[in-house]
Amino acid sequence: MAVDLLLGLQWGDEGKGKIVDVLTKNYDIIARFQGGPNAGHTLEFDGIKHVLHTIPSGIFHKNAINIVGNGVVIDPVIFKKELEALQRFNIDIKSKLLISRKAHLILPTHRLLDAASEASKGKAKIGSTLKGIGPTYMDKTGRNGMRIGDLELDDWKEKYRSLANKHEAMIDYYNVDVQYDLAELEKDFFKSIASLKELTFIDSEEYLYQAQKKGKKILAEGAQGSLLDIDFGTYPYVTSSNTTAAGACTGLGVAPNQIGEVKGIFKAYATRVGSGPFPTELFDEDGETMGRVGNEFGATTGRARRCGWLDLVALKYAVQINGVTELMMMKADVLSGFEKLKICTAYNYKGEKITHLPYNIEAENVTPVYTEMDGWEEDLTQMGSTEEFPDSLQAYIDFLEKELEVPIKIVSVGPDRMQTIHR
Ligand code: GDP
Ligand code: IMO
Ligand code: MG
């Protein structure tokens, strides 16, 4: 049985949480493969809105096992809060949520290092969520990290102490103003580790291998988006993991030839939170309207998201890098009421018209070339099938499918689980 993937194709916040929740009824296992609590995945059903950071978005379904894979970085403090928020839902966490022993731990000093690094960069800061993601992956690739499995060994506290001491020296080195009380942070950290240790730790690559052999259906859940990928994103304004399809192989231990459908998810427009280039960004009333109607505020940090028109050059690149087999278009409802819609189909790049993503997409190098389409007035949020779609929305979808050469299988018309139209 192949493993299907669900990935964000833009700069994150495409609506991955909602779609994983919608699709979970068709799967036995949902497995997160990278990122950490920098993610904020929102789900809405029965009038309740829920934001998950580390826990996979299939957790509300009784039929599915949820796995936090080896590629994920876990902050025990945030994890504990996530679990507390789930308490009222009566989920059997011990058997429904399994954690890879090979996942890395975010220490309090990783968060401080993130803050120190950002402060030292001044105007060139990444706009990190400050959850310690970069420093934790640095320790992972530097072969100094602490893993979930270490918590089962007797000497984990010594390992912790030696790593934290090193981090303190590094924080001093940055020579910036980062105030902290480590003793206080550690109190919280050790308490959270104790609750983490009550959960089930597994060798997730083996678990997934056996599950596959038994014919279990597995969906891998990505975090962030392709343009934030450490290799293929808008470096250095990216996150510290591979958010693209290949990341699911390394982040779960699934062989490339076991990957089935690659479900790519995008907003009908574009957003970005944090710093970095964004060629189609709007600074006018249209951008302001998208932000307001789309309620574009970060699910993790509350920061306002930058908004702009859909960028097909970037989207095609993401489809290509990931080998996307099915598309899902989110937040179509947010575009209701625009007289004209623009889609970026090429860039003017150093005096030349190009349709691929160049090395450098900073505003001084790239000007978007737009195709204009008619908008629609109709409110989409109560629509239940594609037959009800206004002609101009249908034309927008047809245009994208033709350009991207991949079918759009889902159109989302609101945040609720029910506001999902299958095609
Ligand atoms: P994720 O990180 O990809 O899971 O996305 P986020 O949860 O960070 O951001 C998506 C936001 O859009 C959340 O507030 C969702 O509730 C909301 N949302 C998802 N799909 C739709 C949609 O079709 N229409 C509208 N209006 N909101 C949506
Ligand atoms: P989900 O899974 C949107 C952005 C940050 C920053 C950059 C690096 O909800 O789509 P980091 O904290 O990783 O050091 O930040 O990446 N970023 C996200 N933007 N959605 C996310 O996750 C993000 N996770 C990180 O804003 O620009
Ligand atoms: Mg998000």
Side-chain angles (χ1 to χ4, degrees), residues 50 359 385 408:
H50 210 95
Y359 180 72
S385 81
I408 297 178

Side-chain angles (χ1 to χ4, degrees), residues 75-282:
D75 183 332
V77 179
I78 295 176
F79 206 83
K80 182 164 178 276
K81 287 193 186 127
E82 280 191 73
L83 288 174
E84 283 163 1
L86 290 179
Q87 261 165 11
R88 65 195 167 115
F89 294 95
N90 255 334
I91 300 162
D92 179 5
I93 291 291
K94 183 96 187 155
S95 68
K96 290 290 175 197
L97 179 64
L98 314 176
I99 302 175
S100 167
R101 290 198 173 87
K102 294 191 174 78
H104 277 246
L105 279 169
I106 301 176
L107 312 187
T109 42
H110 281 131
R111 264 182 279 140
L112 298 170
L113 275 170
D114 217 355
S117 166
E118 284 284 78
S120 75
K121 286 190 156 110
K123 271 198 177 136
K125 72 174 183 181
I126 309 293
S128 165
T129 60
L130 301 179
K131 302 295 178 196
I133 305 297
T136 306
Y137 279 113
M138 277 165 74
D139 270 337
K140 174 178 177 173
T141 52
R143 298 158 298 177
N144 298 310
M146 276 190 73
R147 302 193 287 179
I148 289 291
D150 291 336
L151 300 175
E152 293 173 324
L153 309 174
D154 293 333
D155 67 345
W156 73 266
K157 278 206 174 157
E158 283 123 69
K159 206 168 169 184
Y160 165 78
R161 180 53 52 212
S162 122
L163 194 52
N165 286 346
K166 192 172 100 182
H167 290 161
E168 280 207 282
M170 288 163 73
I171 294 164
D172 285 345
Y173 169 81
Y174 276 110
N175 197 21
V176 290
D177 184 26
V178 176
Q179 305 284 335
Y180 63 93
D181 177 348
L182 189 56
E184 198 55 40
L185 292 171
E186 283 179 348
K187 241 196 267 168
D188 215 10
F189 181 68
F190 290 132
K191 230 196 286 169
S192 307
I193 293 255
S195 27
L196 191 63
K197 285 175 80 171
E198 285 167 23
L199 304 184
T200 311
F201 300 163
I202 59 163
D203 297 326
S204 55
E205 64 282 17
E206 178 63 18
Y207 184 97
L208 288 168
Y209 178 70
Q210 295 301 343
Q212 253 181 289
K213 283 223 301 199
K214 284 185 211 139
K216 301 281 183 199
K217 293 195 73 186
I218 303 167
L219 178 68
E221 174 179 0
Q224 290 80 53
S226 300
L227 301 173
L228 289 171
D229 181 277
I230 182 72
D231 283 284
F232 300 107
T234 47
Y235 192 88
Y237 300 100
V238 293
T239 190
S240 298
S241 62
N242 281 116
T243 59
T244 42
C249 296
T250 55
L252 293 173
V254 171
N257 63 354
Q258 298 304 308
I259 302 297
E261 298 295 338
V262 180
K263 299 168 191 284
I265 163 165
F266 69 99
K267 277 180 198 173
Y269 50 100
T271 65
R272 170 162 210 172
V273 60
S275 336
F278 181 2
T280 61
E281 183 169 11
L282 290 167

Side-chain angles (χ1 to χ4, degrees), residues 13-33:
D13 304 329
E14 296 88 351
K16 298 175 291 293
K18 166 176 167 163
I19 291 298
V20 171
D21 173 60
V22 166
L23 297 178
T24 300
K25 61 179 188 305
N26 306 326
Y27 288 94
D28 303 302
I29 298 174
I30 308 296
R32 251 290 283 278
F33 63 86

